[in-house]
Amino acid sequence: MRVALFVTCVNDTLYPETGRAVVTLLERLGVEVDFPAAQTCCGQPQFNTGYRHLTEPLVRRYAAAFDGYDHIVTPSGSCAAMVRDAYPRIGAKAAAEGRGAELAELAASVVPRTYELTEFLVDVLGTTDVGAYYPHTVTYHPTCHGLRMLGLGDRPRRLLEAVGGLTLRELSGAEECCGFGGTFAVKNPAVSAAMGADKARAITATGAEAVCTVDNSCQMHIGGTLARQGSTVRPVHIAQILASTEGDVW
C-alpha cells in the first residue's frame, strides 16, 4: 500500500510534530508513507473567502502532487472536507462556465483517495487499537468539518477509547463550534472569541489534562483561548496521542 501524507499548511508551518506523528503511527502499522514535496495549500482559505477562480490552480496542483498514490492521508478534517466536498463543486462550476471538464475529472481522481487520518485507520486499515499508550485524562472536541462534512461520527472516539492508560472525559456541548472557522475568526473576531471562551470553559470543566481534535486549526484557537483563561489543559492533536507508546514523555 502506497500512501501519501498531505500535511496541510497549518501543520507544515506551525505544527510539524503532527506530521511526524502521522508518519510514526502509520509506519508502526506497516504502511509505507511518502511525502510529495510538490504539495501546497488545498485552497480552502481562497475558496471560503469567495475566490473560486484562484482556487482552481491549487486543485490542479493537488491532483498532480498526489497522482499515483493509493491513498492520500491528512491529519485535518477541514482540509479533507475541502477536497472531498468543494473540489467536485469547483470542477462542476468550471464546466458549467464552458471551461471544460478538466477540473471535474481531476477532482474525481482525488476525492475517493483522500482520507482524514481517523477515517483511514478505521475504514481502510480496519483498526481501532493502534498500540498507543497515553496515561492521561483527555476530552475530545469534534471539529465542525469532521463532524458535519466528513461524517467522522465515533471513529475518533473509538480510537481514543482503545488507547492504553487513557481516560476519556465527556465534553459538555461537544458538538458546538469552537468559533475558529478560518476566515470567520478574522471577519468576526468578537463572535469567534466569545464562542472560543465558551468552549474553553467547557473543556476546563471536564477536569481533563488534555483536549484533542482532528484539526490543529481549531486546536490553535482552543489552545490560545485556554491559555488566556489561565487553564492548564494541554491542546494535542489526536495523531500525537495515537503515535505515543510507553516510554514517551508528553
Side-chain angles (χ1 to χ4, degrees), residues 63 67 72 104-113:
D67 183 42
I72 306 159
E105 292 167 357
L106 290 175
S109 74
V110 295
V111 165
R113 294 186 289 122

Side-chain angles (χ1 to χ4, degrees), residues 136-159:
H136 303 285
T137 54
V138 175
T139 192
Y140 168 66
H141 166 63
T143 59
C144 292
H145 284 92
L147 180 69
R148 296 174 175 87
M149 296 182 75
L150 292 180
L152 294 183
D154 67 348
R155 293 175 182 85
R157 288 186 59 90
R158 288 162 60 193
L159 288 158

Side-chain angles (χ1 to χ4, degrees), residues 34 60 64 81 94 96 99 105 110 114 118 128 133 138 142 163 168 174-175 180-181 185 202-203 212 249:
D34 287 347
R60 295 188 183 94
R99 292 186 287 119
E105 292 167 357
V110 295
T114 300
T118 66
T128 53
Y133 181 74
V138 175
V163 173
L168 191 60
E175 296 186 357
F180 179 61
I203 290 167
C212 85
V249 179

Side-chain angles (χ1 to χ4, degrees), residues 2-6 23 27 31-36 39 66 69:
R2 193 161 172 251
V3 167
L5 169 63
F6 173 40
V23 174
E27 288 184 344
V31 177
E32 179 185 347
V33 184
D34 287 347
F35 180 80
Q39 64 181 279
F66 295 106
Y69 289 96

Side-chain angles (χ1 to χ4, degrees), residues 140-143 211-216 218-219 222 236-239:
Y140 168 66
H141 166 63
T143 59
V211 55
C212 85
T213 70
V214 300
D215 278 283
N216 268 330
C218 299
Q219 195 82 8
I222 291 170
V236 59
H237 192 283
I238 194 170

Side-chain angles (χ1 to χ4, degrees), residues 141 144 176-182 184-185 188 191-196 199 221:
H141 166 63
C144 292
E176 296 177 7
C177 178
C178 73
F180 179 61
F184 173 83
N188 304 278
V191 177
S192 174
M195 295 171 71
K199 178 63 64 174
H221 183 65

